[in-house]
Amino acid sequence: MENNESLKSRRSINFFEPNIEISQDKILELIEIANLAPSSFNLQPWKVVVVKDSERKKVLRQCAFNQPKVEEASFVLIIVADPLAIEENIDRVFDSWEKLGYMQHEMRQTYRSMVYQLQGEPDSLKRKFFAIKNASLFAMNLMVAAKGLGLETHPMDGFDEACVKKEFNIPEEKIIPMLIAVGYLKKDIQLLPRAFRRDLSEFVKFERF
Ligand SMILES: Cc1cc2nc3c(=O)[nH]c(=O)nc-3n(C[C@H](O)[C@H](O)[C@H](O)COP(=O)(O)O)c2cc1C
């Protein structure tokens, strides 16, 4: 299938063709597809800051240990995991479930208690895991979707989170699991072969760990 080709050919691209602008429509199309990612109780605990202005990319590059790809990529996405997405989205999720027939109205309180039991209170570690886990699925969806649109990507966690939060007005309680640079491979760059992957026998267990 086509998406398996996207997965097989995706690479973390270090050299982007600089100065290529990607239209707002294409950026939004990419995010729209990524937004179909699954999430726990469909709570979608992600937000995205699109950084495409060259001056803003320079600022982000400084927060990202001066990695040149941050500036050379057409745009960079700051993936934001939002621990408060439960409070923000739960009513809308339940409304849609009721309307579409996924859930009877009488089950609302039971489901709400399940969400809080599983994902914890806003400040808890559980809640942070919830946000990061789901936002990372969104991020992976986005990287595969990018391939489908003819774009290349590079995920990064080499950055100073406090600096990114400060420079891009991201509230303190949010978490930034990664940045994703997006653009086109620089002309005449030959990628090195893909680096090692472990043999399945090292990490795949059947029935018991
Ligand atoms: C969460 C995450 C953070 C990463 N951070 C960086 C980074 O800051 N800088 C970098 O050059 N590569 C970074 N990488 C890229 C990895 O080095 C790369 O995915 C890995 O070497 C495998 O290569 P491939 O993606 O081409 O298959 C990151 C990858 C992930 C998934």
Side-chain angles (χ1 to χ4, degrees):
M1 274 172 79
E2 212 179 290
N3 61 343
N4 285 350
E5 280 316 307
S6 295
L7 283 161
K8 286 179 186 169
S9 61
R10 183 213 56 80
R11 297 289 305 278
S12 295
I13 297 300
N14 268 311
F15 303 99
F16 288 95
E17 189 63 44
N19 309 317
I20 296 202
E21 199 172 328
I22 295 177
S23 72
Q24 182 96 345
D25 281 354
K26 194 156 182 170
I27 297 173
L28 294 177
E29 184 185 4
L30 171 66
I31 297 172
E32 186 123 43
I33 301 170
N35 196 39
L36 298 173
S39 58
S40 175
F41 286 90
N42 199 24
L43 284 159
Q44 307 163 52
W46 51 75
K47 291 187 164 67
V48 193
V49 181
V50 181
V51 185
K52 63 193 187 90
D53 175 83
S54 54
E55 290 309 309
R56 299 304 292 152
K57 283 192 290 183
K58 278 195 177 83
V59 172
L60 188 55
R61 176 177 174 171
Q62 289 317 308
C63 292
F65 307 128
N66 202 25
Q67 297 191 60
K69 52 188 166 273
V70 174
E71 199 176 339
E72 289 163 6
S74 297
F75 61 95
V76 182
L77 300 173
I78 304 174
I79 305 293
V80 179
D82 187 359
L84 298 183
I86 295 180
E87 287 67 27
E88 191 173 294
N89 299 334
I90 196 165
D91 287 322
R92 287 184 293 169
V93 170
F94 288 177
D95 287 349
S96 94
W97 280 357
E98 258 191 75
K99 190 164 158 230
L100 297 170
Y102 289 52
M103 181 179 81
Q104 301 283 310
H105 180 72
E106 304 73 63
M107 291 301 287
R108 263 182 111 102
Q109 197 44 48
T110 310
Y111 272 63
R112 190 179 294 272
S113 307
M114 276 165 68
V115 168
Y116 276 86
Q117 199 183 342
L118 272 170
Q119 317 300 1
E121 294 300 321
D123 250 357
S124 64
L125 196 56
K126 259 187 181 179
R127 189 63 84 84
K128 291 184 173 61
F129 285 147
F130 153 80
I132 296 167
K133 175 167 54 182
N134 290 286
S136 298
L137 291 176
F138 167 78
M140 188 68 235
N141 236 28
L142 192 136
M143 288 188 275
V144 178
K147 286 298 292 184
L149 294 174
L151 298 165
E152 303 292 344
T153 56
H154 197 127
M156 283 164 274
D157 60 6
F159 60 89
D160 175 349
E161 189 176 39
C163 177
V164 178
K165 282 184 176 172
K166 176 171 170 280
E167 297 293 348
F168 294 86
N169 300 337
I170 298 169
E172 185 44 44
E173 81 278 2
K174 311 297 183 222
I175 302 158
I176 307 174
M178 70 194 85
L179 311 176
I180 302 180
V182 185
Y184 293 96
L185 179 64
K186 194 177 167 88
K187 271 192 219 77
D188 303 325
I189 286 285
Q190 199 61 42
L191 290 182
L192 294 171
R194 194 194 280 283
F196 112 107
R197 287 298 196 267
R198 294 167 302 159
D199 190 87
L200 265 54
S201 62
E202 273 188 53
F203 67 93
V204 180
K205 321 279 176 198
F206 286 89
E207 318 309 346
R208 295 272 190 287
F209 189 86

